[in-house]
């Protein structure tokens, strides 16, 4: 997969079908997605401001893999596999925390320094001639870009984060993303849905449904909303506001209070902007704050929605109120999207489901599906193969470079 360049123009004549319905409910395909999509592609686990002091830590779990991100005594932020080298116990339990000078395994008491090196094993004489240097915590690949922490459990096709996200570098700079500070996630943002992860992405990857399904967003920015797709699995969407709107209480008061930061260019001062990263992450910026959210697959039929919210360091009371109202609007939108994801996902099981027929305004869905088709060519098959043949057939199609319809 190459780095992104210029936006993709929607072709005049393109195949408007999406992925076939069977791909949303196949256990064998989900296992391929685990190994070849999620574990090999960049995932966002937080921001450097989430671990401000030595000993502060975060955890990130994904499909059987566990990461521990911790700031060392030298100030460096590192990512490790969250497992003790003795018997694999989880070192850190919970989403975040702090340790004074070392991580201690709760199973047998092995002690690790904040840089991941093994300080000592309990009852060291019982291990014979053990080389402590060989039993430090295992590193997880991590890159920091504009303050955000990107992890990858296995080597994969995406380039370095800075190269991949280069089209958005100027925007993240002007939003001062590196200086963001964490704030609490309002209730209702985190949830577990009984759907395949792709159904969540399908809803989020297009703005065609905004006018019908999202009254608050339609009231805020209406027809100004645009989706822009880039090669390489990234996208940019934005909606401008202020010229009209204000029928709903949250929107009306938000428009009164939202700041117009001078450090932002005019196009971003009155805009909500979204930056998508394949396979499952979105960064969202408003004039008063920022967040990222992602859909974490748990099983083929279960997906956890999660993320983190941030504020600017110089926030005042008016800006804080605007950020509250923005979160209120976003929370209602999230609830609406959850129902759409459930309806969409259940339709895939119906014998009456007969492919998608996508609008030009839904080209982001097609672009996301195209990346999956390149990674997993078996998803190009319109009819479901036998479950026990999917992995082998995928490899055959990859090796042959076939492009079945």
């Amino acid at each position: 997969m190459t780095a992104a360049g210029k936006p993709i123009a929607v072709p005049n004549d393109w195949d408007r079908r999406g992925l076939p319905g069977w791909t949303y409910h196949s256990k064998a395909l989900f296992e391929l997605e685990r190994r070849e999509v999620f574990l090999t592609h960049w995932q966002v686990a937080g921001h450097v401001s989430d671990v401000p002091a030595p000993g502060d830590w975060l955890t990130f779990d994904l499909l059987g893999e566990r990461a521990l991100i911790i700031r060392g005594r030298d100030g460096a932020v590192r990512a490790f596999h969250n497992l003790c080298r003795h018997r694999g116990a989880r070192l850190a339990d919970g989403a975040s925390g702090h340790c004074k000078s070392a991580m201690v395994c709760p199973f047998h008491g092995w002690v690790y320094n904040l840089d991941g090196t093994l300080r000592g094993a309990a009852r060291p004489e019982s291990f014979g001639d053990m080389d402590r240097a060989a039993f430090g915590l295992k590193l997880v690949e991590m890159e920091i870009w504009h303050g955000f922490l990107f992890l990858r459990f296995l080597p994969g096709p995406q380039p370095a984060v800075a190269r991949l996200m280069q089209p958005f570098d100027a925007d993240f700079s002007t939003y001062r993303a590196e200086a963001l500070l964490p704030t609490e996630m309002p209730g209702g943002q985190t949830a577990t849905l009984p759907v395949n992860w792709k159904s969540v992405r399908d809803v989020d990857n297009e703005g065609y449904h905004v006018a019908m399904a999202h009254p608050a967003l339609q009231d805020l920015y209406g027809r100004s909303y645009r989706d822009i797709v880039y090669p390489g699995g990234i996208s940019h969407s934005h909606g401008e506001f202020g010229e009209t709107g204000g029928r709903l209480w949250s929107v009306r008061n938000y428009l009164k209070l939202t700041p117009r930061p001078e450090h932002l260019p005019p196009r971003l001062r009155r805009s909500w902007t979204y930056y998508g990263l394949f396979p499952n992450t979105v960064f969202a910026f408003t004039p008063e704050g920022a967040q990222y959210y992602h859909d974490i697959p748990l099983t083929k039929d279960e997906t956890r929605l999660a993320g983190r919210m941030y504020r600017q360091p110089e926030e005042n009371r008016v800006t804080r109120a605007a950020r509250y109202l923005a979160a209120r609007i976003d929370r209602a939108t999230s609830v609406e999207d959850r129902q759409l994801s459930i309806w969409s996902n259940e339709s895939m099981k119906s014998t009456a489901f007969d492919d998608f027929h996508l609008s030009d305004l839904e080209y982001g869905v097609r672009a996301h599906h195209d990346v999956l088709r390149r990674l997993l060519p078996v998803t190009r098959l319109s009819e479901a193969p036998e479950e026990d043949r999917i992995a082998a057939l995928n490899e055959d199609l990859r090796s042959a470079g076939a492009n079945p319809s």
Side-chain angles (χ1 to χ4, degrees):
M1 189 179 296
T2 59
K6 295 181 179 179
I8 298 173
V10 177
N12 292 327
D13 185 18
W14 55 284
D15 187 346
R16 297 178 183 273
R17 295 174 298 172
L19 291 173
W22 71 266
T23 64
Y24 291 74
H25 296 292
S26 166
K27 185 176 181 179
L29 180 66
F30 182 76
E31 179 56 29
L32 286 180
E33 291 173 337
R34 174 189 178 273
R35 297 198 314 263
E36 301 190 32
V37 176
F38 284 95
L39 299 186
T40 60
H41 287 69
W42 294 114
Q43 298 287 325
V44 180
H47 189 275
V48 291
S49 61
D50 291 312
V51 285
D56 288 343
W57 54 263
L58 297 172
T59 61
F60 178 74
D61 293 5
L62 180 68
L63 293 170
E65 298 291 349
R66 312 191 305 257
L68 168 65
I69 303 101
I70 188 166
R71 189 179 289 274
R73 297 176 67 86
D74 58 358
V77 179
R78 301 175 178 89
F80 305 99
H81 286 274
N82 186 16
L83 54 88
C84 179
R85 294 298 306 280
H86 173 217
R87 298 236 328 246
R90 185 184 291 263
L91 282 176
D93 185 26
S96 62
H98 175 81
C99 59
K100 290 185 178 181
S101 61
M103 297 293 298
V104 181
C105 177
F107 196 176
H108 295 92
W110 282 36
V111 181
Y112 296 88
N113 296 311
L114 301 185
D115 63 0
T117 55
L118 177 63
R119 181 181 298 183
R123 300 288 302 271
E125 73 281 359
S126 69
F127 289 95
D129 188 16
M130 186 180 77
D131 180 9
R132 284 188 303 172
F135 286 89
L137 299 180
K138 291 187 176 182
L139 286 166
V140 173
E141 183 180 10
M142 183 181 73
E143 295 186 11
I144 300 175
W145 186 73
H146 287 284
F148 288 101
L149 307 170
F150 292 76
L151 305 181
R152 183 163 57 182
F153 287 102
L154 296 173
Q158 289 177 318
V161 174
R163 182 181 172 203
L164 178 65
M165 301 288 284
Q166 192 279 328
F168 311 141
D169 184 70
D171 282 7
F172 274 65
S173 291
T174 198
Y175 274 121
R176 300 178 178 176
E178 192 166 352
L180 291 169
L181 297 177
T183 186
E184 291 185 4
M185 179 74 77
Q189 289 291 81
T190 301
T192 299
L193 298 184
V195 302
N196 182 269
W197 71 276
K198 293 187 291 297
S199 290
V200 181
R201 283 291 91 228
D202 289 347
V203 171
D204 201 54
N205 277 332
E206 51 90 359
Y208 180 43
H209 69 284
V210 168
M212 185 67 185
H214 297 317
L217 292 188
Q218 180 67 11
D219 192 30
L220 179 64
Y221 48 59
R223 286 182 173 270
S224 72
Y225 187 84
R226 294 291 182 271
D227 293 317
I228 304 169
V229 177
Y230 291 77
I234 62 173
S235 62
H236 171 214
S237 306
H238 71 278
E240 299 175 3
F241 58 85
E243 297 300 324
T244 59
R247 180 176 58 87
L248 301 177
W249 182 88
S250 293
V251 175
R252 182 170 62 254
N253 285 281
Y254 173 75
L255 292 173
K256 291 177 183 178
L257 297 176
T258 182
R260 300 192 182 196
E262 293 186 0
H263 66 271
L264 294 179
R267 66 182 177 85
L268 297 181
R269 290 178 189 172
R270 307 292 277 180
S271 175
W272 283 20
T273 57
Y274 308 84
Y275 304 90
L277 171 63
F278 181 88
N280 62 325
T281 302
V282 176
F283 297 92
F285 288 85
T286 65
E288 58 283 326
Q291 65 172 304
Y292 74 85
Y293 58 89
H294 47 197
D295 24 280
I296 303 296
L298 303 177
T299 69
K300 68 179 179 66
D301 296 320
E302 192 175 32
T303 303
R304 184 170 63 87
L305 312 183
R308 293 178 181 270
M309 299 194 75
Y310 301 91
R311 64 175 179 85
Q312 295 292 342
E314 66 278 5
E315 182 178 78
N316 56 33
R317 292 179 62 186
V318 173
T319 302
R320 189 184 308 100
R323 184 165 54 77
Y324 163 78
L325 291 167
R328 181 184 170 109
I329 295 169
D330 190 62
R331 184 164 61 247
T333 302
S334 178
V335 171
E336 293 153 0
D337 275 343
R338 292 176 205 172
Q339 185 60 69
L340 296 176
S341 298
I342 292 171
W343 285 339
S344 178
N345 192 80
E346 68 185 11
S347 72
M348 302 298 178
K349 294 180 178 179
S350 172
T351 57
F353 180 76
D354 190 23
D355 291 330
F356 294 179
H357 187 70
L358 298 172
S359 159
D360 288 350
L361 300 176
E362 298 170 290
Y363 194 74
V365 177
R366 165 61 189 266
H368 188 265
H369 289 189
D370 280 348
V371 180
L372 285 170
R373 290 185 184 103
R374 288 196 297 272
L375 292 168
L376 303 173
V378 72
T379 61
R380 301 172 191 167
L381 299 175
S382 58
E383 298 296 327
E386 294 295 326
E387 281 285 292
D388 61 358
R389 285 281 299 142
I390 285 179
L393 184 56
N394 186 71
E395 192 57 38
D396 290 346
L397 291 170
R398 194 204 316 272
S399 299
N403 187 22
S405 60

